Amino acid sequence: MNIDLTKLITSSVDELEICEEVIIPEELLANSGIRELKNSSFSGKVIKLLDDSYQISGVLSGVMILPDDITLEDVEVSFESQVEEEFGEFVDSFENNLKIIQNTLDIRDFLWQNILVEIPTKVVHDKNKNLALEGNGWRLVTEEALRKCNNSPFGELSQMFDSRKE
């Protein structure tokens, strides 16, 4: 996603408006856990600051398809985030990967990093929230339920440690 900064660099305009669809290559998606991106777009602007650096800001939004943590079914997760970053043509102090090359700015990697930040740590489809996690001879016990349970497999061990402290 390349943006031509020529008008901004020559001070022909004060800001450049951006409204683009965000397309991420399949190889990046494959290594991220995201199965698919839908309707992802970036709307914002680039402005030139007084110190000859630049600022990009706007809204990144879309829908990511992620695997359900329980059943591995596809789950649609909407995201929207405000992004803002400063960058410069000849400034080495900026820690981002936004670089102006021949008056153009490629913001795909910058947007990809911001999409990765939006991936939730746990994804469960609404229909699976109250799913019984048990079967023939087994059941999933949460840590909270285990602490409440008097018949803990570590109960005797805990009592042994408590008696040593006394």
Side-chain angles (χ1 to χ4, degrees):
M1 179 177 217
N2 289 324
I3 300 167
D4 184 7
L5 299 176
T6 305
K7 290 181 181 179
L8 198 60
I9 290 171
T10 60
S11 300
S12 299
V13 295
D14 293 331
E15 66 180 45
L16 290 174
E17 293 290 325
I18 305 167
C19 188
E20 297 279 332
E21 180 182 7
V22 178
I23 300 172
I24 302 296
E26 291 293 324
E27 58 269 8
L28 288 177
L29 289 175
N31 295 327
S32 68
I34 300 174
R35 291 183 175 168
E36 185 181 352
L37 278 176
K38 293 182 177 180
N39 305 324
S40 55
S41 63
F42 177 74
S43 296
K45 63 183 177 180
V46 180
I47 59 172
K48 187 174 184 180
L49 302 175
L50 294 176
D51 63 353
D52 287 335
S53 63
Y54 300 88
Q55 181 182 51
I56 184 169
S57 60
V59 176
L60 176 63
S61 63
V63 176
M64 57 180 87
I65 308 298
L66 299 169
D68 183 288
D69 286 342
I70 298 173
T71 63
L72 298 179
E73 296 173 312
D74 286 351
V75 178
E76 289 189 1
V77 177
S78 298
F79 66 92
E80 182 174 302
S81 66
Q82 293 285 111
V83 293
E84 186 174 301
E85 191 73 41
E86 288 187 24
F87 60 96
E89 188 171 11
F90 301 108
V91 182
D92 292 331
S93 64
F94 295 107
E95 296 177 1
N96 58 40
N97 59 355
L98 290 172
K99 296 194 181 5
I100 300 171
I101 300 171
Q102 297 179 351
N103 292 349
T104 62
L105 176 67
D106 185 2
I107 62 172
R108 186 191 71 194
D109 290 339
F110 165 69
L111 296 176
W112 175 238
Q113 289 174 358
N114 283 282
I115 290 171
L116 290 174
V117 170
E118 293 297 320
I119 298 175
T121 55
K122 184 165 181 78
V123 178
V124 179
H125 194 281
D126 289 338
K127 70 179 186 177
N128 297 330
K129 287 192 178 183
N130 295 320
L131 189 65
L133 299 175
E134 58 186 62
N136 189 11
W138 69 273
R139 68 184 169 104
L140 180 66
V141 179
T142 63
E143 288 183 35
E144 183 178 316
L146 186 61
R147 276 187 238 121
K148 291 180 182 178
C149 180
N150 293 335
N151 193 15
S152 170
F154 300 109
E156 292 178 19
L157 185 60
S158 177
Q159 289 173 358
M160 185 174 74
F161 282 126
D162 289 343
S163 67
R164 284 189 172 186
K165 289 180 184 177
E166 296 172 358

